[in-house]
Amino acid sequence: MPQVPAPRSICLLRLSALGDVTHVLPLVHTLQTGLPNVALTWIIGRGEHRLLEGLPGVRFVEYDKKTGLAGMRALRRELGQRFDVLLQLQVSARANLLSAFVPAQRRIGYDKSRSKEGHGLFINERIPDCGNVHVLDAIGSFCEPLGLVRAEVAWNLPVPDAAHAWARAQWPDDGRRTLMISPCSSHPLRNWRAERYAALADHAAAQGWRIVLCGGRSELERGTGDAILAAMATRDSVLDLIGKDTLKQLPALLARADLLVTPDSGPMHIANAMGTRVLGLHAATNPQRSGPYSDRRFCVDRYDEAARKYRGKPASELKWGTKIEAEGVMDLIAVEDAVAAFERFRASLG
């Protein structure tokens, strides 16, 4: 069989969300290391672009889902070229349709077990079936049809010096440990109760920890933060930064925490990329698939219990990637579960 020449141009298509585009970064590192002369273009959502803007060696092209087919046609004109390879990293119906507007010779998509919403109609190659693995590993395997093997997992999230300076200015380097709480996911049914966050925060504050709240500018996030503060007994230990940072400042802020508490969310994966340990709260989603990639020792895992209660079968019998976003599912995580995970982390500090 003749050897396929190395591609000179690759287009990645992954529009959203913040956590998922963070998972693509190790693939970009692998491509740039294994194909140092390749030109990379990434089709991405607007907010996600704000997070990754400045990533070396990558040309970003934004697509706004509100623009529909007209925006897809405009994107094709903006691309202005035919690519050697398209890596179709998203299987939603919108992303699949958008990929049809990307001219490419090789169109590589997911294996059949991960395909949905007509994904197979828009590709002509598939990654190998890699079984039940973390989302990051599935994305990482897109290098394999190109003859590459991932040697390391590196994120290299672009964070400007000004963002780190802003984060350093938020509290002093006084040796006090910091527990950061990012209480909200973009999926409300993954969110824990405010009074339970407050109980965990009170426990940490009693151990002398600083508590920092972070989050975006939505009504849900502001309301959840206010509810946490109202339920706490030790509010004077809290620094409330909800709605005060930008997407460029968020990674720098997360990097300053000793431990982040959050449901399955974008900040979970950004914190992991910045080297911060995460106390993940998992009942609606499986931490083995979508938890903090580098270290899941401090996660609370009630996914199997949720599967038995809401799906009538153990998690091992569910299709990999099944989400159990049911009313009340996060109530399966007790305050005691999170406190125990927090204490495991404290013990790990020595």
Side-chain angles (χ1 to χ4, degrees):
M1 180 178 295
Q3 187 174 4
V4 178
R8 293 170 297 177
S9 60
I10 297 176
C11 182
L12 301 90
L13 197 164
R14 180 79 214 193
L15 300 173
S16 59
L18 292 176
D20 288 313
V21 299
T22 303
H23 288 146
V24 177
L25 291 174
L27 172 64
V28 170
H29 177 75
T30 298
L31 295 175
Q32 291 178 326
T33 301
L35 301 167
N37 297 317
V38 75
L40 296 181
T41 298
W42 185 338
I43 301 172
I44 195 167
R46 180 171 299 172
E48 291 75 13
H49 183 202
R50 289 203 302 271
L51 175 68
L52 301 186
E53 187 175 5
L55 187 65
V58 178
R59 171 200 178 200
F60 287 102
V61 178
E62 290 184 11
Y63 173 72
D64 183 351
K65 63 183 180 182
K66 296 178 183 177
T67 61
L69 284 171
M72 294 181 184
R73 288 191 289 266
L75 179 134
R76 178 166 186 154
R77 291 192 296 271
E78 183 176 355
L79 290 173
Q81 68 178 101
R82 180 177 179 84
F83 296 93
D84 293 335
V85 179
L86 167 68
L87 301 183
Q88 172 57 343
L89 303 168
Q90 192 162 350
V91 296
S92 68
R94 179 185 291 110
N96 287 329
L97 180 58
L98 178 60
S99 74
F101 290 81
V102 181
Q105 180 179 354
R106 300 176 66 187
R107 311 176 65 85
I108 302 173
Y110 285 96
D111 54 280
K112 290 184 178 180
S113 68
R114 289 173 173 79
S115 293
K116 61 180 180 180
E117 300 198 44
H119 184 67
L121 299 175
F122 298 90
I123 59 176
N124 55 28
E125 295 181 52
R126 295 182 183 271
I127 61 171
D129 191 335
C130 45
N132 296 345
V133 298
H134 193 280
V135 171
L136 186 147
D137 288 322
I139 291 173
S141 66
F142 271 79
C143 71
E144 295 180 19
L146 304 177
L148 302 177
V149 176
R150 188 182 69 195
E152 61 176 337
V153 175
W155 285 270
N156 302 324
L157 191 64
V159 184
D161 291 342
H164 283 296
W166 178 87
R168 287 193 299 270
Q170 301 312 303
W171 66 84
D173 288 319
D174 53 8
R176 190 179 180 189
R177 297 286 185 182
T178 298
L179 175 69
M180 190 170 292
I181 299 175
S182 180
C184 295
S185 163
S186 58
H187 304 272
L189 292 175
R190 296 183 190 176
N191 294 343
W192 208 33
R193 291 185 181 273
E195 60 269 24
R196 300 190 183 187
Y197 281 119
L200 174 62
D202 281 333
H203 175 83
Q207 316 308 313
W209 283 51
R210 175 186 292 106
I211 311 301
V212 178
L213 301 182
C214 72
R217 294 168 174 78
S218 70
E219 290 184 13
L220 174 63
E221 288 164 293
R222 182 64 269 164
T224 301
D226 289 342
I228 292 170
L229 290 168
M232 284 189 66
T234 53
R235 290 182 58 176
D236 57 343
S237 299
V238 181
L239 175 61
D240 180 5
L241 296 179
I242 291 176
K244 296 180 180 179
D245 62 328
T246 66
L247 277 175
K248 274 300 184 188
Q249 292 166 341
L250 176 61
L253 192 67
L254 293 168
R256 289 207 67 200
D258 292 282
L259 182 67
L260 172 72
V261 181
T262 187
D264 187 350
S265 66
M268 168 183 285
H269 305 297
I270 296 168
N272 177 82
M274 297 301 294
T276 297
R277 295 294 177 257
V278 179
L279 195 170
L281 302 170
H282 291 269
T285 59
N286 184 351
Q288 300 310 311
R289 178 185 178 273
S290 59
Y293 182 82
S294 301
D295 192 344
R296 295 186 281 278
R297 291 176 296 163
F298 312 112
C299 289
V300 177
D301 182 3
R302 287 287 176 263
Y303 182 71
D304 183 68
E305 186 177 342
R308 294 173 188 273
K309 179 175 181 178
Y310 291 95
R311 297 292 186 267
K313 60 182 69 174
S316 60
E317 294 181 12
L318 296 179
K319 181 180 178 180
W320 189 252
T322 297
K323 298 177 180 64
I324 309 174
E325 292 170 341
E327 193 71 43
V329 65
M330 293 296 286
D331 289 340
L332 295 173
I333 300 175
V335 171
E336 292 75 16
D337 296 326
V339 167
F342 173 78
E343 290 300 326
R344 288 200 304 274
F345 177 75
R346 279 219 306 153
S348 75
L349 297 174

